[in-house]
Amino acid sequence: MKDYKKDFPIFADKKNEGLIYFDNAATSQRPQKVIDALSDFYKSDNANPLRGLYDLSVRATDAYQNSRKTIARFVGAENPNEIIFTRNASESLNLVAYSYALKNLKAGDQIAVSVMEHHSNILPWQMAAQKTGAVLVWLECDKESGIIPQSEYNKICEKTKIVAITQVSNVLGTTNPIKEIAAIAHKNGAVIVVDGAQALPHISVNVQDLDADFYAFSGHKFCGPTGIGGLYAKMDLLESMDPFLRGGEMIEYVTREGATWAEVPAKFEAGTVNVGGAVGMAAAAEYLEEIGMENIARHDNELASLMVQEMKKIPHVNIVGNKDGSKRCGIVTFTIDGVHPHDIASILDTEKIAIRAGHHCAQPLGQYLGLPATARASLYFYNTEEEVKVFCQKLSKVREWAGFKD
């Protein structure tokens, strides 16, 4: 891998001199290409799209729809209209819960949810269960490997109507076998809803190959802007669903008595849409395609393997989940005996190292593991071996700096 850090202006800013940024699972940084795409749109093509008949509005419309085509290609969707632009993965998952689940669930139905889910892929299903009388069934993972045992998938049965599962855990880095789980779900007549927020930045995704019914993602996780994300869904499902939000642009015709809806995807994109965000997210997808997702995956796994290898040498450091760094998708979560994760993060911050500490919006997993808080270092393709070595060298001193003598 070449030095891609040069593509990211934030690392050249004097305020960030010496920064080691290991919080990529929370949000990635933006390359100049994405910043330029955003700037160029607002400088040259900004207008309210879709309805305007003048040239500037037509250009804005083209920019928006071309972005949809790029994202469809990036996730492997056959039809660009199967991509709904949202604010983020959280909104995408809520869209499915409100527009699909509430319409299709009834009392006694089951929603299978893995224990490793981000809150964004738990709370919508709790809401749907409360409103319909459906119940949540939890798929537990092995505490050492972070892998869901095959026996847990037996919980997916004829009563299961929805399987909600992350492709990559934002805490454990576990990559779940979505294609196999989808086959089990479909065999039992259920749909599968995949949280792809942590997967899409790191591995090649093809929603058709996975046979995902719904696939949610956020642009800011893979070098795009904040405030823009997407939902892939199979067209027959989208056409059967009611709109999530109602207002401008998502209607075909309105009378005093009611309304008819526009065709998919407009039916789910009410109001003035985030064209600039879509353009920026598409530019990010193109940038990653130029690098090659297979190269990104290999690099992230190599760095995580090096980090795990070096961390194993440090007394009192405990790696949470799989001890094989090549199976962590660039995410390494850990604790240090006697030092609270918040203190770990604060101490490392004084050394210009940015990591995340807390429950990582996955409290049920923390409760299951008996770890209410952990520290997390998350890597991306612009991080380097040298940064990993510096991080581990500083990490080895944290207990000493926290006042411990051993």
Side-chain angles (χ1 to χ4, degrees):
M1 296 283 279
K2 75 170 192 179
D3 182 9
Y4 284 103
K5 190 166 289 185
K6 295 176 181 178
D7 293 348
F8 293 78
I10 196 165
F11 296 118
D13 191 291
K14 289 184 178 180
K15 295 191 295 292
N16 303 314
E17 186 175 358
L19 171 66
I20 296 177
Y21 185 77
F22 282 174
D23 195 22
N24 294 286
T27 195
S28 64
Q29 297 301 334
R30 281 95 193 127
Q32 188 65 51
K33 178 173 181 175
V34 171
I35 296 169
D36 288 344
L38 279 166
S39 177
D40 290 346
F41 171 76
Y42 284 116
K43 286 192 298 185
S44 303
D45 297 319
N46 180 50
N48 206 317
L50 303 175
R51 298 290 182 181
L53 300 178
Y54 53 92
D55 179 66
L56 190 59
S57 180
V58 171
R59 295 207 307 269
T61 300
D62 289 344
Y64 189 60
Q65 302 297 20
N66 288 335
S67 297
R68 195 188 308 277
K69 293 176 183 177
T70 297
I71 296 301
R73 182 185 70 238
F74 187 57
V75 302
E78 181 180 13
N79 183 352
N81 290 335
E82 293 176 319
I83 300 296
I84 309 299
F85 285 127
T86 61
R87 289 187 303 125
N88 44 45
S90 297
E91 183 175 295
S92 297
L93 294 164
N94 273 274
L95 190 162
V96 180
Y98 278 95
S99 293
Y100 178 83
L102 294 185
K103 184 177 180 179
N104 289 279
L105 292 176
K106 64 182 186 301
D109 287 342
Q110 295 181 358
I111 307 168
V113 181
S114 90
V115 72
M116 67 181 74
E117 298 308 306
H118 188 282
H119 294 163
S120 293
N121 206 23
I122 296 176
L123 300 183
W125 312 118
Q126 289 180 339
M127 176 279 300
Q130 291 163 2
K131 288 183 177 292
T132 64
V135 295
L136 265 62
V137 174
W138 293 90
L139 307 178
E140 313 288 7
C141 68
D142 180 82
K143 294 182 180 181
E144 289 299 315
S145 68
I147 296 170
I148 300 174
Q150 284 294 323
S151 58
E152 285 294 295
Y153 296 129
N154 293 332
K155 295 177 180 178
I156 301 173
C157 61
E158 66 278 357
K159 290 185 178 180
T160 308
K161 303 305 176 185
I162 296 172
V163 177
I165 190 162
T166 185
Q167 187 170 14
V168 171
S169 166
N170 73 312
V171 177
L172 302 174
T174 304
T175 301
N176 287 312
I178 297 301
K179 187 172 182 177
E180 289 80 359
I181 300 170
I184 297 170
H186 294 151
K187 181 180 179 181
N188 286 279
V191 298
I192 183 168
V193 183
V194 184
D195 178 356
Q198 289 298 334
L200 198 57
H202 298 280
I203 60 178
S204 179
V205 170
N206 186 303
V207 291
Q208 292 183 83
D209 182 62
L210 295 174
D211 202 12
D213 296 295
F214 300 96
Y215 192 97
F217 53 93
S218 291
H220 72 96
K221 303 282 191 182
F222 62 90
C223 299
T226 55
I228 187 71
L231 173 71
Y232 159 80
K234 293 178 178 177
M235 181 57 72
D236 61 330
L237 293 173
L238 290 172
E239 290 177 337
S240 71
M241 291 159 53
D242 294 326
F244 175 38
L245 299 172
R246 305 185 184 205
E249 304 294 354
M250 50 74 64
I251 55 89
E252 179 182 44
Y253 195 75
V254 178
T255 67
R256 294 190 182 194
E257 292 75 29
T260 55
W261 312 131
E263 294 182 356
V264 175
K267 180 170 72 168
F268 297 102
E269 295 178 355
T272 299
V273 294
N274 184 1
V275 188
V279 168
M281 184 166 65
E286 290 174 341
Y287 174 73
L288 296 187
E289 287 174 334
E290 290 170 5
I291 297 172
M293 294 307 300
E294 68 285 353
N295 295 323
I296 291 173
R298 182 171 59 252
H299 177 79
D300 294 348
N301 286 336
E302 288 174 353
L303 283 193
S305 295
L306 175 62
M307 179 175 285
V308 168
Q309 174 186 316
E310 294 301 312
M311 288 173 68
K312 286 178 179 177
K313 301 175 183 177
I314 305 173
H316 302 289
V317 171
N318 312 293
I319 298 168
V320 179
N322 203 311
K323 306 305 185 291
D324 183 348
S326 68
K327 296 181 179 179
R328 300 193 63 104
C329 221
I331 294 172
V332 182
T333 307
F334 62 96
T335 61
I336 298 178
D337 295 338
V339 187
H340 193 280
H342 290 169
D343 294 328
I344 298 172
S346 295
I347 290 169
L348 290 175
D349 180 53
T350 65
E351 300 295 312
K352 300 283 286 186
I353 299 173
I355 67 166
R356 181 70 44 160
H359 54 65
H360 313 297
C361 294
Q363 286 181 299
L365 177 60
Q367 293 159 4
Y368 176 68
L369 297 175
L371 296 169
T374 56
R376 182 185 70 191
S378 48
L379 309 163
Y380 211 12
F381 63 91
Y382 43 69
N383 292 127
T384 66
E385 287 188 7
E386 180 60 27
E387 288 179 326
V388 170
K389 291 175 181 177
V390 170
F391 165 77
C392 290
Q393 189 266 332
K394 301 294 184 183
L395 191 67
S396 68
K397 297 182 178 180
V398 166
R399 262 180 64 90
E400 176 188 344
W401 291 336
F404 290 88
K405 302 301 181 182
D406 58 343

